[in-house]
Amino acid sequence: MLTAIGMMSGTSMDGIDAALLRTDGRRIETLGPSRTWAYPDDFRGRLQAVLGRERRDPEVEAVERDLTGLHGDLVEQFLHDHGLSSGEIDIIGFHGQTTLHRPAERLTIQLGDGSALAERLRTAVAWDFRSADVRAGGQGAPFVPLYHSALVRDLEGPVAVLNIGGVANVTWIGGKDEILAFDTGPGNGPMDDWMARYFGKRFDAGGKVAREGKPHEMRIAAVLDRTFFAISPPKSLDRNDFTADLAAGLSDRDGMATLAEITVASIAAARVHFPRPASTWVVCGGGRHNDHLMARLTARLSPSRVVNADELGWNGDAVEAQAFGFLAVRVLNGLPLSLPTTTGVPYPMPGGRISRP
């Protein structure tokens, strides 16, 4: 078993999650502490400004350099807070920040310089997790299913693990070696952008604003009529594939209610792709804090049970960070990071790079 720190900055672009675990890349021995650091507001604005742009751009290079520095600050503070030294860490999983994802063009960009981070921290760093998958014709996402499968070993299946970040994705686990994963549609991204635009807030705390509005059913139906939802998985999305403009022209509260219901309806629509119905849906990510979303999911997904990951003793905010620590150990051991049924690669695909100080 190895000790790993995993770090993840998701499509919500709200900050960086870090988590400690011990694993051999197949089983989880222990889960350690975790923490979230919010991006400074000015940096978050700079990050949003480079979405969709390629690396050969001085502004993108500057953002990448500063993003790597923020991750370095985070690890140093994390080690200090928990009385650890870098010598006690075998590997760091550094996902970086996705700013462009076009798998049809065999292109995905996660900003972050693993070599610079390894040099600074004097610790081995696994990074660039998705590129090999995309080069081989895979979707490059979602990339957490193998970790989800390790987490649900003791749950009676089939189980669907739903992550609601900027984009929502699901892992359906029917049994040993029976995994299907794909992006379901928009997650928090359009809602967060709507809140910033009309309310000057980063997110809809508890779903209060959405609860006060009335969803526009015709708008929701029009979104669900898009080709993406009929495509068989595996399939993935860029954060900007579904935007706050889905609710353009609606009142501030009705727009929010409509965007929330689009997220819920698209998750419910994903069930058509499951080999068998899921008896339990476990909800991870920031979306599980939205009481309105959780209530609507419970109603839409009935008779399946919908549970907050925290109710199972998981840390729902840390699952993706833990996953990239888990995947970092798999990179070290030459194990696959993705499967034909999770990203559409032609065979179980290893990947990632290791940088050492």
Side-chain angles (χ1 to χ4, degrees), residues 306-333:
V306 176
V307 297
N308 185 320
D310 300 344
E311 296 174 35
L312 301 179
W314 304 5
N315 182 338
D317 288 322
V319 168
E320 289 207 319
Q322 292 165 354
F324 281 94
F326 179 84
L327 291 175
V329 174
R330 290 183 72 90
V331 175
L332 270 180
N333 292 337

PDB file of all heavy atoms in Angstrom, residues 306-333:
ATOM      1  N   VAL A 306     -32.197   7.545  -3.297  1.00  0.00           N
ATOM      2  CA  VAL A 306     -31.209   8.595  -3.551  1.00  0.00           C
ATOM      3  C   VAL A 306     -30.586   8.982  -2.218  1.00  0.00           C
ATOM      4  O   VAL A 306     -31.300   9.375  -1.283  1.00  0.00           O
ATOM      5  CB  VAL A 306     -31.849   9.831  -4.212  1.00  0.00           C
ATOM      6  CG1 VAL A 306     -30.824  10.951  -4.375  1.00  0.00           C
ATOM      7  CG2 VAL A 306     -32.458   9.458  -5.566  1.00  0.00           C
ATOM      8  N   VAL A 307     -29.250   8.842  -2.102  1.00  0.00           N
ATOM      9  CA  VAL A 307     -28.582   9.152  -0.845  1.00  0.00           C
ATOM     10  C   VAL A 307     -27.417  10.097  -1.081  1.00  0.00           C
ATOM     11  O   VAL A 307     -26.725  10.015  -2.095  1.00  0.00           O
ATOM     12  CB  VAL A 307     -28.078   7.876  -0.120  1.00  0.00           C
ATOM     13  CG1 VAL A 307     -29.235   6.977   0.255  1.00  0.00           C
ATOM     14  CG2 VAL A 307     -27.066   7.130  -0.951  1.00  0.00           C
ATOM     15  N   ASN A 308     -27.236  10.995  -0.151  1.00  0.00           N
ATOM     16  CA  ASN A 308     -26.052  11.834  -0.114  1.00  0.00           C
ATOM     17  C   ASN A 308     -24.864  10.946   0.253  1.00  0.00           C
ATOM     18  O   ASN A 308     -24.949  10.124   1.165  1.00  0.00           O
ATOM     19  CB  ASN A 308     -26.259  12.921   0.944  1.00  0.00           C
ATOM     20  CG  ASN A 308     -25.156  13.935   1.019  1.00  0.00           C
ATOM     21  OD1 ASN A 308     -23.987  13.592   0.920  1.00  0.00           O
ATOM     22  ND2 ASN A 308     -25.519  15.187   1.229  1.00  0.00           N
ATOM     23  N   ALA A 309     -23.766  11.074  -0.463  1.00  0.00           N
ATOM     24  CA  ALA A 309     -22.593  10.238  -0.208  1.00  0.00           C
ATOM     25  C   ALA A 309     -22.156  10.285   1.250  1.00  0.00           C
ATOM     26  O   ALA A 309     -21.662   9.288   1.800  1.00  0.00           O
ATOM     27  CB  ALA A 309     -21.436  10.674  -1.108  1.00  0.00           C
ATOM     28  N   ASP A 310     -22.368  11.419   1.906  1.00  0.00           N
ATOM     29  CA  ASP A 310     -21.956  11.556   3.297  1.00  0.00           C
ATOM     30  C   ASP A 310     -22.701  10.579   4.207  1.00  0.00           C
ATOM     31  O   ASP A 310     -22.181  10.164   5.250  1.00  0.00           O
ATOM     32  CB  ASP A 310     -22.180  12.985   3.781  1.00  0.00           C
ATOM     33  CG  ASP A 310     -21.388  14.001   2.979  1.00  0.00           C
ATOM     34  OD1 ASP A 310     -20.455  13.599   2.258  1.00  0.00           O
ATOM     35  OD2 ASP A 310     -21.701  15.206   3.060  1.00  0.00           O
ATOM     36  N   GLU A 311     -23.927  10.209   3.820  1.00  0.00           N
ATOM     37  CA  GLU A 311     -24.718   9.284   4.630  1.00  0.00           C
ATOM     38  C   GLU A 311     -24.099   7.890   4.664  1.00  0.00           C
ATOM     39  O   GLU A 311     -24.398   7.089   5.553  1.00  0.00           O
ATOM     40  CB  GLU A 311     -26.147   9.197   4.087  1.00  0.00           C
ATOM     41  CG  GLU A 311     -26.930  10.494   4.165  1.00  0.00           C
ATOM     42  CD  GLU A 311     -28.281  10.382   3.483  1.00  0.00           C
ATOM     43  OE1 GLU A 311     -28.891   9.289   3.536  1.00  0.00           O
ATOM     44  OE2 GLU A 311     -28.727  11.370   2.874  1.00  0.00           O
ATOM     45  N   LEU A 312     -23.237   7.592   3.700  1.00  0.00           N
ATOM     46  CA  LEU A 312     -22.564   6.289   3.652  1.00  0.00           C
ATOM     47  C   LEU A 312     -21.195   6.328   4.333  1.00  0.00           C
ATOM     48  O   LEU A 312     -20.451   5.351   4.287  1.00  0.00           O
ATOM     49  CB  LEU A 312     -22.398   5.846   2.195  1.00  0.00           C
ATOM     50  CG  LEU A 312     -23.682   5.705   1.380  1.00  0.00           C
ATOM     51  CD1 LEU A 312     -23.347   5.289  -0.049  1.00  0.00           C
ATOM     52  CD2 LEU A 312     -24.630   4.706   2.019  1.00  0.00           C
ATOM     53  N   GLY A 313     -20.881   7.477   4.924  1.00  0.00           N
ATOM     54  CA  GLY A 313     -19.570   7.616   5.553  1.00  0.00           C
ATOM     55  C   GLY A 313     -18.492   8.089   4.606  1.00  0.00           C
ATOM     56  O   GLY A 313     -17.321   8.165   4.982  1.00  0.00           O
ATOM     57  N   TRP A 314     -18.871   8.395   3.349  1.00  0.00           N
ATOM     58  CA  TRP A 314     -17.927   8.973   2.410  1.00  0.00           C
ATOM     59  C   TRP A 314     -17.803  10.465   2.705  1.00  0.00           C
ATOM     60  O   TRP A 314     -18.642  11.065   3.381  1.00  0.00           O
ATOM     61  CB  TRP A 314     -18.398   8.815   0.969  1.00  0.00           C
ATOM     62  CG  TRP A 314     -18.686   7.434   0.500  1.00  0.00           C
ATOM     63  CD1 TRP A 314     -18.677   6.273   1.231  1.00  0.00           C
ATOM     64  CD2 TRP A 314     -19.070   7.060  -0.829  1.00  0.00           C
ATOM     65  NE1 TRP A 314     -19.017   5.211   0.442  1.00  0.00           N
ATOM     66  CE2 TRP A 314     -19.264   5.658  -0.824  1.00  0.00           C
ATOM     67  CE3 TRP A 314     -19.260   7.762  -2.012  1.00  0.00           C
ATOM     68  CZ2 TRP A 314     -19.651   4.958  -1.963  1.00  0.00           C
ATOM     69  CZ3 TRP A 314     -19.638   7.070  -3.151  1.00  0.00           C
ATOM     70  CH2 TRP A 314     -19.831   5.683  -3.128  1.00  0.00           C
ATOM     71  N   ASN A 315     -16.787  11.077   2.173  1.00  0.00           N
ATOM     72  CA  ASN A 315     -16.695  12.537   2.153  1.00  0.00           C
ATOM     73  C   ASN A 315     -17.030  12.969   0.728  1.00  0.00           C
ATOM     74  O   ASN A 315     -16.189  12.894  -0.160  1.00  0.00           O
ATOM     75  CB  ASN A 315     -15.291  13.000   2.552  1.00  0.00           C
ATOM     76  CG  ASN A 315     -15.168  14.514   2.581  1.00  0.00           C
ATOM     77  OD1 ASN A 315     -15.948  15.230   1.954  1.00  0.00           O
ATOM     78  ND2 ASN A 315     -14.188  15.014   3.308  1.00  0.00           N
ATOM     79  N   GLY A 316     -18.260  13.380   0.516  1.00  0.00           N
ATOM     80  CA  GLY A 316     -18.735  13.680  -0.837  1.00  0.00           C
ATOM     81  C   GLY A 316     -18.018  14.811  -1.519  1.00  0.00           C
ATOM     82  O   GLY A 316     -18.049  14.923  -2.746  1.00  0.00           O
ATOM     83  N   ASP A 317     -17.354  15.683  -0.741  1.00  0.00           N
ATOM     84  CA  ASP A 317     -16.580  16.770  -1.343  1.00  0.00           C
ATOM     85  C   ASP A 317     -15.201  16.298  -1.786  1.00  0.00           C
ATOM     86  O   ASP A 317     -14.538  16.977  -2.566  1.00  0.00           O
ATOM     87  CB  ASP A 317     -16.408  17.927  -0.345  1.00  0.00           C
ATOM     88  CG  ASP A 317     -17.686  18.704  -0.127  1.00  0.00           C
ATOM     89  OD1 ASP A 317     -18.434  18.901  -1.101  1.00  0.00           O
ATOM     90  OD2 ASP A 317     -17.949  19.089   1.028  1.00  0.00           O
ATOM     91  N   ALA A 318     -14.759  15.153  -1.254  1.00  0.00           N
ATOM     92  CA  ALA A 318     -13.378  14.720  -1.476  1.00  0.00           C
ATOM     93  C   ALA A 318     -13.253  13.560  -2.449  1.00  0.00           C
ATOM     94  O   ALA A 318     -12.132  13.154  -2.770  1.00  0.00           O
ATOM     95  CB  ALA A 318     -12.739  14.329  -0.144  1.00  0.00           C
ATOM     96  N   VAL A 319     -14.371  13.018  -2.935  1.00  0.00           N
ATOM     97  CA  VAL A 319     -14.309  11.792  -3.729  1.00  0.00           C
ATOM     98  C   VAL A 319     -13.412  11.943  -4.949  1.00  0.00           C
ATOM     99  O   VAL A 319     -12.581  11.074  -5.244  1.00  0.00           O
ATOM    100  CB  VAL A 319     -15.720  11.329  -4.136  1.00  0.00           C
ATOM    101  CG1 VAL A 319     -15.657  10.226  -5.194  1.00  0.00           C
ATOM    102  CG2 VAL A 319     -16.479  10.821  -2.911  1.00  0.00           C
ATOM    103  N   GLU A 320     -13.552  13.051  -5.675  1.00  0.00           N
ATOM    104  CA  GLU A 320     -12.746  13.185  -6.891  1.00  0.00           C
ATOM    105  C   GLU A 320     -11.270  13.407  -6.563  1.00  0.00           C
ATOM    106  O   GLU A 320     -10.404  12.903  -7.272  1.00  0.00           O
ATOM    107  CB  GLU A 320     -13.295  14.303  -7.772  1.00  0.00           C
ATOM    108  CG  GLU A 320     -14.629  13.926  -8.424  1.00  0.00           C
ATOM    109  CD  GLU A 320     -14.858  14.659  -9.729  1.00  0.00           C
ATOM    110  OE1 GLU A 320     -14.535  15.859  -9.783  1.00  0.00           O
ATOM    111  OE2 GLU A 320     -15.361  14.035 -10.674  1.00  0.00           O
ATOM    112  N   ALA A 321     -10.971  14.147  -5.502  1.00  0.00           N
ATOM    113  CA  ALA A 321      -9.568  14.299  -5.107  1.00  0.00           C
ATOM    114  C   ALA A 321      -8.990  12.944  -4.694  1.00  0.00           C
ATOM    115  O   ALA A 321      -7.880  12.572  -5.094  1.00  0.00           O
ATOM    116  CB  ALA A 321      -9.457  15.304  -3.962  1.00  0.00           C
ATOM    117  N   GLN A 322      -9.749  12.183  -3.897  1.00  0.00           N
ATOM    118  CA  GLN A 322      -9.308  10.836  -3.531  1.00  0.00           C
ATOM    119  C   GLN A 322      -9.062   9.987  -4.774  1.00  0.00           C
ATOM    120  O   GLN A 322      -8.082   9.236  -4.852  1.00  0.00           O
ATOM    121  CB  GLN A 322     -10.368  10.168  -2.655  1.00  0.00           C
ATOM    122  CG  GLN A 322     -10.526  10.776  -1.282  1.00  0.00           C
ATOM    123  CD  GLN A 322     -11.809  10.324  -0.596  1.00  0.00           C
ATOM    124  OE1 GLN A 322     -12.637   9.638  -1.199  1.00  0.00           O
ATOM    125  NE2 GLN A 322     -11.974  10.707   0.651  1.00  0.00           N
ATOM    126  N   ALA A 323      -9.950  10.135  -5.751  1.00  0.00           N
ATOM    127  CA  ALA A 323      -9.837   9.329  -6.969  1.00  0.00           C
ATOM    128  C   ALA A 323      -8.530   9.579  -7.689  1.00  0.00           C
ATOM    129  O   ALA A 323      -7.917   8.632  -8.221  1.00  0.00           O
ATOM    130  CB  ALA A 323     -11.004   9.618  -7.903  1.00  0.00           C
ATOM    131  N   PHE A 324      -8.065  10.823  -7.710  1.00  0.00           N
ATOM    132  CA  PHE A 324      -6.826  11.087  -8.431  1.00  0.00           C
ATOM    133  C   PHE A 324      -5.594  10.697  -7.624  1.00  0.00           C
ATOM    134  O   PHE A 324      -4.525  10.485  -8.198  1.00  0.00           O
ATOM    135  CB  PHE A 324      -6.792  12.529  -8.956  1.00  0.00           C
ATOM    136  CG  PHE A 324      -7.624  12.639 -10.207  1.00  0.00           C
ATOM    137  CD1 PHE A 324      -8.943  13.030 -10.150  1.00  0.00           C
ATOM    138  CD2 PHE A 324      -7.100  12.266 -11.434  1.00  0.00           C
ATOM    139  CE1 PHE A 324      -9.737  13.072 -11.293  1.00  0.00           C
ATOM    140  CE2 PHE A 324      -7.875  12.297 -12.583  1.00  0.00           C
ATOM    141  CZ  PHE A 324      -9.202  12.699 -12.520  1.00  0.00           C
ATOM    142  N   GLY A 325      -5.713  10.541  -6.311  1.00  0.00           N
ATOM    143  CA  GLY A 325      -4.662   9.872  -5.556  1.00  0.00           C
ATOM    144  C   GLY A 325      -4.644   8.389  -5.885  1.00  0.00           C
ATOM    145  O   GLY A 325      -3.580   7.792  -6.097  1.00  0.00           O
ATOM    146  N   PHE A 326      -5.814   7.774  -5.945  1.00  0.00           N
ATOM    147  CA  PHE A 326      -5.974   6.368  -6.318  1.00  0.00           C
ATOM    148  C   PHE A 326      -5.417   6.119  -7.722  1.00  0.00           C
ATOM    149  O   PHE A 326      -4.653   5.180  -7.959  1.00  0.00           O
ATOM    150  CB  PHE A 326      -7.473   6.047  -6.252  1.00  0.00           C
ATOM    151  CG  PHE A 326      -7.880   4.652  -6.616  1.00  0.00           C
ATOM    152  CD1 PHE A 326      -7.831   3.629  -5.687  1.00  0.00           C
ATOM    153  CD2 PHE A 326      -8.383   4.366  -7.886  1.00  0.00           C
ATOM    154  CE1 PHE A 326      -8.259   2.343  -6.011  1.00  0.00           C
ATOM    155  CE2 PHE A 326      -8.809   3.091  -8.220  1.00  0.00           C
ATOM    156  CZ  PHE A 326      -8.743   2.072  -7.273  1.00  0.00           C
ATOM    157  N   LEU A 327      -5.782   6.993  -8.669  1.00  0.00           N
ATOM    158  CA  LEU A 327      -5.302   6.837 -10.044  1.00  0.00           C
ATOM    159  C   LEU A 327      -3.797   7.079 -10.147  1.00  0.00           C
ATOM    160  O   LEU A 327      -3.121   6.466 -10.974  1.00  0.00           O
ATOM    161  CB  LEU A 327      -6.055   7.788 -10.975  1.00  0.00           C
ATOM    162  CG  LEU A 327      -7.541   7.474 -11.201  1.00  0.00           C
ATOM    163  CD1 LEU A 327      -8.192   8.563 -12.042  1.00  0.00           C
ATOM    164  CD2 LEU A 327      -7.736   6.107 -11.852  1.00  0.00           C
ATOM    165  N   ALA A 328      -3.260   7.962  -9.302  1.00  0.00           N
ATOM    166  CA  ALA A 328      -1.818   8.205  -9.315  1.00  0.00           C
ATOM    167  C   ALA A 328      -1.066   6.918  -8.994  1.00  0.00           C
ATOM    168  O   ALA A 328      -0.035   6.604  -9.614  1.00  0.00           O
ATOM    169  CB  ALA A 328      -1.454   9.302  -8.312  1.00  0.00           C
ATOM    170  N   VAL A 329      -1.580   6.145  -8.024  1.00  0.00           N
ATOM    171  CA  VAL A 329      -0.948   4.867  -7.684  1.00  0.00           C
ATOM    172  C   VAL A 329      -1.096   3.883  -8.845  1.00  0.00           C
ATOM    173  O   VAL A 329      -0.179   3.111  -9.153  1.00  0.00           O
ATOM    174  CB  VAL A 329      -1.550   4.302  -6.382  1.00  0.00           C
ATOM    175  CG1 VAL A 329      -1.009   2.898  -6.091  1.00  0.00           C
ATOM    176  CG2 VAL A 329      -1.229   5.233  -5.212  1.00  0.00           C
ATOM    177  N   ARG A 330      -2.226   3.928  -9.539  1.00  0.00           N
ATOM    178  CA  ARG A 330      -2.400   3.073 -10.712  1.00  0.00           C
ATOM    179  C   ARG A 330      -1.405   3.448 -11.815  1.00  0.00           C
ATOM    180  O   ARG A 330      -0.896   2.577 -12.529  1.00  0.00           O
ATOM    181  CB  ARG A 330      -3.842   3.149 -11.226  1.00  0.00           C
ATOM    182  CG  ARG A 330      -4.838   2.491 -10.292  1.00  0.00           C
ATOM    183  CD  ARG A 330      -6.263   2.511 -10.837  1.00  0.00           C
ATOM    184  NE  ARG A 330      -6.459   1.607 -11.957  1.00  0.00           N
ATOM    185  CZ  ARG A 330      -6.831   0.333 -11.855  1.00  0.00           C
ATOM    186  NH1 ARG A 330      -7.053  -0.211 -10.658  1.00  0.00           N
ATOM    187  NH2 ARG A 330      -7.010  -0.422 -12.937  1.00  0.00           N
ATOM    188  N   VAL A 331      -1.129   4.740 -11.973  1.00  0.00           N
ATOM    189  CA  VAL A 331      -0.121   5.162 -12.954  1.00  0.00           C
ATOM    190  C   VAL A 331       1.233   4.557 -12.576  1.00  0.00           C
ATOM    191  O   VAL A 331       1.940   3.992 -13.422  1.00  0.00           O
ATOM    192  CB  VAL A 331      -0.019   6.695 -13.041  1.00  0.00           C
ATOM    193  CG1 VAL A 331       1.127   7.102 -13.974  1.00  0.00           C
ATOM    194  CG2 VAL A 331      -1.328   7.310 -13.536  1.00  0.00           C
ATOM    195  N   LEU A 332       1.590   4.659 -11.304  1.00  0.00           N
ATOM    196  CA  LEU A 332       2.860   4.089 -10.838  1.00  0.00           C
ATOM    197  C   LEU A 332       2.947   2.596 -11.130  1.00  0.00           C
ATOM    198  O   LEU A 332       4.002   2.079 -11.484  1.00  0.00           O
ATOM    199  CB  LEU A 332       3.004   4.303  -9.328  1.00  0.00           C
ATOM    200  CG  LEU A 332       3.686   5.567  -8.824  1.00  0.00           C
ATOM    201  CD1 LEU A 332       3.706   5.557  -7.306  1.00  0.00           C
ATOM    202  CD2 LEU A 332       5.105   5.690  -9.363  1.00  0.00           C
ATOM    203  N   ASN A 333       1.821   1.899 -10.981  1.00  0.00           N
ATOM    204  CA  ASN A 333       1.806   0.443 -11.122  1.00  0.00           C
ATOM    205  C   ASN A 333       1.464  -0.023 -12.534  1.00  0.00           C
ATOM    206  O   ASN A 333       1.338  -1.234 -12.774  1.00  0.00           O
ATOM    207  CB  ASN A 333       0.813  -0.166 -10.126  1.00  0.00           C
ATOM    208  CG  ASN A 333       1.266  -0.003  -8.683  1.00  0.00           C
ATOM    209  OD1 ASN A 333       2.448   0.173  -8.413  1.00  0.00           O
ATOM    210  ND2 ASN A 333       0.329  -0.052  -7.748  1.00  0.00           N
TER     211      ASN A 333
END
